[in-house]
Amino acid sequence: MDSAEHEALCRRCGMSCHFAVPVNGLAVVIDALRCKFLARSSGSGSDAVAGQYHCTIYADRFAQAPWCHTADSALAAGFLAQDCPYAKGTPGYRGKVRLSASLYQKVLPAIRAEIARVGVPIGAAVEPVLALLTESGGKWSHSVSADGSRYLFVRSDAETPNPETRVRPVSLRVL
Ligand code: SF4
């Protein structure tokens, strides 16, 4: 398979460019937790398909986004979608998944709480994460951790923490 054929296997689902939250042993992808360089097409361009994802720095991604992976290293680390074409034929592969809408709503408070507790990787787009936290109430702000590896979040408007952020599920961890 040549390079063009290999690239063409990608279906532009964006799963590998989202960070995952482990939920009950599954690597769960949520819309709000994605690479800051990932964009989604509106379908207005000549060869654009609405809803498909693309990298805005693709040619230079390994220099600008040290968290990025090749398809091979993403496969080895379990960072591809469970049903990714690049993982086809890999015995026992366990990759990223999305939850059904109803299940997502059930675990969302715990996901918010875990994000508020441990932050997110520095490669994530911070605005969608702030929006996710703000949806449950309050004003949130962010900072960069001392080692520069994560965005950390704090609710800045309330003396009493949001009830959701008091949830401390041990089964969730933001990668
Ligand atoms: S830098 Fe890497 S992880 Fe980020 S959008 Fe581009 S290909 Fe995806």
Side-chain angles (χ1 to χ4, degrees):
M1 188 183 295
D2 65 22
S3 170
E5 289 170 331
H6 187 261
E7 292 275 320
L9 285 178
C10 179
R11 59 191 178 185
R12 313 284 185 250
C13 69
M15 292 282 281
S16 62
C17 303
H18 284 68
F19 297 94
V21 183
V23 177
N24 294 337
L26 296 173
V28 169
V29 161
I30 63 171
D31 287 340
L33 196 48
R34 57 182 184 263
C35 176
K36 60 182 72 178
F37 296 116
L38 188 65
R40 199 168 193 189
S41 173
S42 64
S44 55
S46 57
D47 60 352
V49 177
Q52 284 192 342
Y53 289 91
H54 60 276
C55 176
T56 55
I57 56 159
Y58 193 70
D60 196 34
R61 64 195 185 284
F62 297 123
Q64 293 193 54
W67 53 88
C68 191
H69 288 264
T70 64
D72 284 347
S73 64
L75 173 65
F79 293 160
L80 300 175
Q82 177 65 37
D83 57 350
C84 179
Y86 294 110
K88 194 174 176 186
T90 302
Y93 178 71
R94 297 191 70 198
K96 295 175 181 175
V97 297
R98 284 184 184 275
L99 298 178
S100 67
S102 59
L103 197 48
Y104 173 70
Q105 287 304 323
K106 276 186 190 160
V107 300
L108 183 53
I111 289 175
R112 279 201 188 100
E114 193 64 354
I115 288 174
R117 190 174 76 86
V118 301
V120 300
I122 200 73
V126 74
E127 292 302 331
V129 179
L130 282 168
L132 183 81
L133 293 172
T134 304
E135 275 170 14
S136 68
K139 288 183 183 171
W140 292 80
S141 58
H142 71 284
S143 61
V144 176
S145 64
D147 66 359
S149 69
R150 300 182 82 75
Y151 287 119
L152 304 175
F153 299 91
V154 62
R155 185 171 173 176
S156 54
D157 68 320
E159 291 176 14
T160 307
N162 183 323
E164 286 190 359
T165 69
R166 288 201 293 263
V167 181
R168 290 290 182 266
V170 293
S171 60
L172 293 187
R173 195 167 39 88
V174 179
L175 292 176

